[in-house]
Amino acid sequence: MAIGLQLYTTLTSASGEPKQPNIILILADDLGYSDLGCYGGEISTPHIDSLANGGVKFTQLYNSARCCPSRASLMTGLYPSQAGIGDFTTNKPNPKRGPGYLGRLNNECATLAEVLKPAGYGCYYVGKWHMHPETGPIKRGFDEFYGYTNDHSHDQYDADYYFRLPENRKKEIDPPAKDFYATDVFNEYALEFIRQGQAAHKPWFLFLGHSSPHFPIQAPAERADKYEAIYRRGWDVLREERYARMQELGLVNGDHWQLSPRSIVPVDRDDIANGYPGQQNPAWDELDQDRQFDLARRMAIFAAMVEGVDHGVGQIIDHLKNTNDFENTLILFLSDNGACYEWGPFGFDGKSRLGITTLRTGDQLREIGGRGTHQSYGSAWANLGNTPFRLYKHFTHEGGISTPMIAHWPEGIKKNSNWVREPAHVMDIMPTLLEVAGATYPQSLDGNQITPVEGMSLLPAMNGEQLTERAIGFDHQAAHAFRKGDWKAVYAKRMPHKLKWELYNLTEDRCEMNNLAEVYPVRLQKMVSEWEDWARHVGVIWEPSASPK
């Protein structure tokens, strides 16, 4: 941590005392790679875009393919299985799967709050936890919490579901049930906790974990109305337009990018996959008008949720500027995984995996996303969200694990070209914050030996320097990948064909369009062997059938 201490002692206040930055980490849920305006999307995100324009944007920041494994990795600086959440949270872990699948944060990891608090930070958490309520935010180092700790999502309008911790705290913000909308209340609590942090006269860390735009897609109808005409133009036209904007923005550079065809709908029950299991998502023009209008409204609701997140970012920016904290606050904005395909091109209604999709017409369209509803927007819109990549959340192809990430810190990040093209991972957030805060990663905590951090600081990359080359491994419920240098080996699931390891050169083919497995079989075999070594190192349990014969 020598570099971290050097930075810590060089940023000083007028009195000569060390001046640690405040830190805000904003995590969106199921936001696609290209949904933000600054990444090419048509959704209105002016405040997030302003951070991007004044900071840096990452083009190859990876996640762990799904919400709770990504959160576990981000929160601890480890791979998900090292932190105990190898694939999902659970109350009944399978003892045959080993400690990597405990289903909650284990005692051998340290959280961001547990390393920042000893460095003098007040630590605050708002929103979705999803690392198991038994290891909730207060138990794992945060001073104050508002949100929910159980499950992956919930009704945005259910005021009674969201709560305040520690248990003796009275809610500072408690709108009447008829006025409650979780995204808005999360934004208000972010401001409340920032004020509390400022009043304590010490550096503070805020983790704002939005549940938006995860399903159930819900937003006030009037917020979605302006997007309806946009999405009635369909996903094919909009994918082309997003890709063109990505080129204009300089995100897509050179000929190593290629807009992929519409992605396949993963194999599943016919009703769950809306009649398209193992087939390509349909062309928009193949659909009848009633289906188009229903789908356009679903996507309009999704867009309104993203805009709600952006509105809160604007409130935070305004407050920081008004209180003279904007220049020395590191703000990170990212998503937890690729856009969510669950489960077919028409989405679903009601509880997930019941196989129910309701077609709404006429006046019923404005009921979508309302109080008490539970809907998703489907695989074809998720394919739009992940433009230009293949596949989605749950998968370890680029569409599942590529995350938009923005870093903004005027006093700590030098002006540069804005696009950071170094491969990175959410586990790198921990060492990055250690460095900027001058904090120390513990060898032990509460009598437990702590697993050494796996990530590396991204601050050098934010300031235009190259990172040391390293390999990055991935595993999520039978989907695997291994990124090393320019090369990536990847193994899919839920496909209509026999599964084999694939091989891509991402420097020449970022969108994984040209499988080189048969061209370089020795290289592939070596990378798969290295993936297996990595899996053993981090405690991943996998089926031997995932290895090439």
Side-chain angles (χ1 to χ4, degrees), residues 260-308:
S260 61
R262 287 188 305 278
S263 275
I264 195 170
V265 179
V267 172
D268 214 321
R269 278 180 12 215
D270 191 69
D271 57 342
I272 288 176
N274 301 141
Y276 290 87
Q279 302 176 49
Q280 190 181 44
N281 281 297
W284 182 258
D285 290 343
E286 292 176 4
L287 307 177
D288 62 46
Q289 188 178 83
D290 283 345
R291 180 64 68 186
Q292 289 179 344
F293 284 11
D294 173 273
L295 285 166
R297 187 66 189 183
R298 290 172 188 251
M299 185 61 192
I301 294 292
F302 176 92
M305 296 178 80
V306 176
E307 188 172 338

Side-chain angles (χ1 to χ4, degrees), residues 366-392:
R366 293 188 89 248
E367 297 173 1
I368 295 173
R371 190 174 298 275
T373 60
H374 195 285
Q375 288 129 354
S376 74
Y377 70 162
S379 57
W381 286 131
N383 191 202
L384 169 69
N386 293 331
T387 301
F389 302 132
R390 297 167 53 202
L391 296 175
Y392 332 82

Side-chain angles (χ1 to χ4, degrees), residues 431-451:
T432 303
L433 298 192
L434 285 169
E435 181 170 358
V436 303
T440 301
Y441 191 78
Q443 294 183 345
S444 63
L445 187 66
D446 297 331
N448 300 298
Q449 289 298 114
I450 299 301
T451 304

Side-chain angles (χ1 to χ4, degrees), residues 79 101 396 471-484 488-491 501 523-548:
Y79 284 106
Y101 302 87
T396 51
I472 303 174
F474 304 86
D475 174 80
H476 182 66
Q477 294 181 337
H480 319 303
F482 194 70
R483 170 76 190 265
K484 187 175 183 180
K488 179 183 175 186
V490 61
Y491 191 87
W501 279 91
R523 179 184 289 276
L524 176 61
Q525 179 65 60
K526 185 175 187 298
M527 290 190 70
V528 173
S529 178
E530 289 177 310
W531 178 86
E532 292 176 348
D533 290 341
W534 166 83
R536 283 186 280 268
H537 167 65
V538 301
V540 163
I541 305 296
W542 77 96
E543 293 293 329
S545 61
S547 300

Side-chain angles (χ1 to χ4, degrees), residues 145-159:
F145 171 81
Y146 176 84
Y148 65 108
T149 58
N150 195 27
D151 215 345
H152 53 71
S153 58
H154 194 72
D155 190 323
Q156 291 262 337
Y157 299 100
D158 185 1

Side-chain angles (χ1 to χ4, degrees), residues 256 258 390 397 484 486-491 500-528 548:
H256 61 286
Q258 183 180 353
R390 297 167 53 202
H397 285 72
K484 187 175 183 180
D486 298 341
W487 293 89
K488 179 183 175 186
V490 61
Y491 191 87
K500 295 181 180 180
W501 279 91
E502 303 163 23
L503 180 68
Y504 300 97
N505 185 318
L506 295 189
T507 299
E508 299 175 355
D509 178 24
R510 177 68 199 280
C511 300
E512 300 170 315
M513 300 291 288
N514 184 22
N515 181 7
L516 299 173
E518 294 184 6
V519 180
Y520 300 103
V522 175
R523 179 184 289 276
L524 176 61
Q525 179 65 60
K526 185 175 187 298
M527 290 190 70
V528 173

